[in-house]
Amino acid sequence: DQQVKQNSPSLSVQEGRISILNCDYTNSMFDYFLWYKKYPAEGPTFLISISSIKDKNEDGRFTVFLNKSAKHLSLHIVPSQPGDSAVYFCAASDLNAGNNRKLIWGLGTSLAVNP
Amino acid sequence: DGGITQSPKYLFRKEGQNVTLSCEQNLNHDAMYWYRQDPGQGLRLIYYSQIVNDFQKGDIAEGYSVSREKKESFPLTVTSAQKNPTAFYLCASSSVDEQYFGPGTRLTVT
């Protein structure tokens, strides 16, 4: 059963516009959320994270929003650039899991930014 | 410079042979992880280790084995019992929750 869901397998946007990638989770014990970016045949790279005590975190063109009541988070990229074309993974963690702490991953959304 | 090394980038083996994938990190991270990615799928956790000499099975551990004798190293052995070993294998390490990934090894078994 998928605890972290990225319901859109793909997204296409025009260069300069906003990209919005969505992620839903089911486990209310998750309290830390991360976004990763992955190019083909490479390892994912960490992009941005948010703790459950916040509802927004911003880093340059990237902003993550968290709605705890809806168990939903989103990644906004503004403005989108062709180099942003990649697969984006949402991941969640239960900080109270102790030695069993690990990331739970969504299946990813493939973003294509068209020039 | 600091990072995670996986070697080789591409690996070819005959069916029935065991193969060991290397993962080394110099980030001084306690935790290390092995994932597998198949086309069109996300990252699936094979094994993870939070500390030296200890490791836990992930979601798809059958047909794989690991060791964690040193903090810096977490090799993964793909055994002949793994029914579909051809995949892209990713190693990661972390100090808290942000995991840092190596470049991956593409294993092809024929």
Side-chain angles (χ1 to χ4, degrees):
Chain A
D1 186 31
Q2 200 76 17
Q3 296 186 67
V4 176
K5 300 176 185 178
Q6 295 178 254
N7 292 320
S8 298
S10 63
L11 177 67
S12 181
V13 299
Q14 285 299 119
E15 181 178 3
R17 305 296 290 268
I18 184 171
S19 295
I20 300 176
L21 295 95
N22 294 304
C23 179
D24 297 292
Y25 61 96
T26 57
N27 188 341
S28 57
M29 298 302 291
F30 290 153
D31 49 8
Y32 193 69
F33 305 89
L34 307 90
W35 284 95
Y36 282 79
K37 174 180 179 180
K38 185 182 183 301
Y39 294 118
E42 293 184 10
T45 55
F46 170 72
L47 203 54
I48 193 169
S49 63
I50 188 166
S51 163
S52 60
I53 61 173
K54 295 186 173 183
D55 54 19
K56 177 183 174 182
N57 189 26
E58 191 172 352
D59 184 1
R61 296 186 297 115
F62 302 92
T63 303
V64 56
F65 295 92
L66 176 63
N67 182 335
K68 281 182 63 179
S69 61
K71 294 191 180 71
H72 176 82
L73 63 154
S74 60
L75 174 69
H76 292 212
I77 306 174
V78 182
S80 301
Q81 299 173 353
D84 296 330
S85 298
V87 176
Y88 289 79
F89 288 99
C90 171
S93 174
D94 173 5
L95 293 178
N96 293 314
N99 286 338
N100 290 320
R101 187 169 66 243
K102 56 186 177 181
L103 293 181
I104 308 301
W105 296 82
L107 295 182
T109 296
S110 178
L111 172 67
V113 179
N114 305 308
Chain B
D1 40 313
I4 302 176
T5 304
Q6 289 184 249
S7 59
K9 181 71 173 172
Y10 299 96
L11 192 54
F12 298 89
R13 280 294 183 270
K14 293 289 186 185
E15 194 173 322
Q17 293 179 336
N18 292 355
V19 58
T20 297
L21 281 60
S22 134
C23 178
E24 304 278 332
Q25 55 103 356
N26 60 5
L27 300 169
N28 200 34
H29 286 166
D30 286 316
M32 296 187 75
Y33 308 81
W34 273 106
Y35 293 91
R36 166 183 175 141
Q37 187 184 25
D38 295 283
Q41 297 205 29
L43 303 176
R44 293 189 290 169
L45 183 64
I46 304 172
Y47 267 98
Y48 63 108
S49 167
Q50 299 284 5
I51 198 167
V52 174
N53 291 323
D54 188 38
F55 49 82
Q56 280 84 41
K57 292 181 179 179
D59 302 317
I60 55 164
E62 186 176 347
Y64 299 98
S65 66
V66 293
S67 63
R68 186 87 188 277
E69 297 175 2
K70 297 187 301 182
K71 188 175 186 177
E72 301 79 18
S73 178
F74 191 39
L76 173 75
T77 296
V78 184
T79 75
S80 56
Q82 168 48 231
K83 291 182 172 44
N84 296 296
T86 294
F88 187 53
Y89 290 88
L90 287 159
C91 178
S93 71
S94 71
S95 58
V96 186
D97 285 286
E98 294 165 12
Q99 293 184 11
Y100 296 87
F101 285 82
T105 292
R106 178 160 299 282
L107 172 65
T108 302
V109 177
T110 57

